[in-house]
Amino acid sequence: GQQLNQSPQSMFIQEGEDVSMNCTSSSIFNTWLWYKQDPGEGPVLLIALYKAGELTSNGRLTAQFGITRKDSFLNISASIPSDVGIYFCAGLRSGNTPLVFGKGTRLSVIA
Amino acid sequence: DGGITQSPKYLFRKEGQNVTLSCEQNLNHDAMYWYRQDPGQGLRLIYYSQIVNDFQKGDIAEGYSVSREKKESFPLTVTSAQKNPTAFYLCASSIGGAGGPTDTQYFGPGTRLTVL
């Protein structure tokens, strides 16, 4: 099955730095979702985007639904140690089709 | 509390044995999903069900089976035919069907299966 191209694969940053990650696809998606997974736990939904061009914030997190509908971006501002984890993007083409997931971005924060 | 539960958290089985993983939700969601996660592989879809008594194969259904006899339950059986069953298994659910917010998936805590 198709997967989204998520980058970077991993990143190491200093506490307090801002972080950016993105997902791209050759296909159009109608919904973009961003999840965070802590070790040994299930992914937790961070932000959901339903309209092209939409920019949505959740605390220090901001995500955008690309205007072409083929990409999405997640930014984390002023990172803290508890931001450590794996961040996944997921796209949905239409109702009654399964989500397509990226392979994740592993974030490490150095205090 | 509404949510998705998976049990047990850790499961050990001998090679050649079938094993069933439990997934229950009390969110009144129509759609449920099973994913497998291996290190560095992201999430891969095994099976999904959009309504009771109906389910479809995902990308890696071989060696697995499911049933959906009740709306709130979607058990996954890992059969002896699955060549490499050791993995982290995640169940998810969504309201289902119409696109947009109704297809946003929420995940359970996962079951780590180790086959010895």
Side-chain angles (χ1 to χ4, degrees), chain B residues 63-97:
Chain B
Y64 299 97
S65 66
V66 293
S67 62
R68 186 86 188 277
E69 296 175 3
K70 297 188 295 183
K71 187 175 186 177
E72 55 271 20
S73 178
F74 190 40
L76 173 75
T77 297
V78 184
T79 75
S80 56
Q82 168 50 234
K83 290 185 172 31
N84 186 17
T86 294
F88 190 49
Y89 290 88
L90 287 159
C91 177
S93 72
S94 65
I95 295 173

Side-chain angles (χ1 to χ4, degrees), chain A residues 78-98:
Chain A
S79 59
I80 60 178
S82 62
D83 290 335
V84 166
I86 303 177
Y87 291 79
F88 289 100
C89 62
L92 179 72
R93 289 199 180 84
S94 61
N96 294 323
T97 62

Side-chain angles (χ1 to χ4, degrees), chain A residues 7-67:
Chain A
S7 65
Q9 193 172 1
S10 62
M11 45 195 322
F12 294 81
I13 60 168
Q14 293 279 350
E15 184 177 357
E17 285 184 352
D18 296 344
V19 172
S20 286
M21 59 191 78
N22 70 81
C23 269
T24 61
S25 172
S26 56
S27 303
I28 287 173
F29 287 91
N30 291 316
T31 296
W32 286 92
L33 306 171
W34 285 93
Y35 293 88
K36 179 186 180 231
Q37 186 179 29
D38 291 327
E41 301 294 331
V44 172
L45 182 68
L46 298 173
I47 293 180
L49 302 159
Y50 303 114
K51 279 172 56 174
E54 182 180 356
L55 184 72
T56 297
S57 293
N58 178 7
R60 292 178 297 107
L61 278 61
T62 302
Q64 184 158 24
F65 191 141
I67 197 71

Side-chain angles (χ1 to χ4, degrees), chain B residues 4 9-11 21 31 48 53 60 67 76 88 91 95 98 108-109:
Chain B
I4 303 171
K9 182 72 174 171
Y10 300 96
L11 193 53
L21 281 60
Y48 64 105
N53 292 322
I60 56 164
S67 62
L76 173 75
F88 190 49
C91 177
I95 295 173

Side-chain angles (χ1 to χ4, degrees), chain B residues 22-67:
Chain B
S22 163
C23 178
E24 305 276 330
Q25 52 95 4
N26 60 4
L27 301 167
N28 201 33
H29 284 176
D30 281 318
M32 297 185 74
Y33 311 80
W34 274 105
Y35 295 89
R36 170 182 172 137
Q37 187 175 31
D38 296 287
Q41 292 285 327
L43 280 68
R44 292 186 289 170
L45 183 65
I46 305 173
Y47 268 99
Y48 64 105
S49 166
Q50 292 172 324
I51 199 164
V52 172
N53 292 322
D54 188 41
F55 48 83
Q56 286 79 40
K57 292 182 179 180
D59 300 320
I60 56 164
E62 186 176 347
Y64 299 97
S65 66
V66 293
S67 62

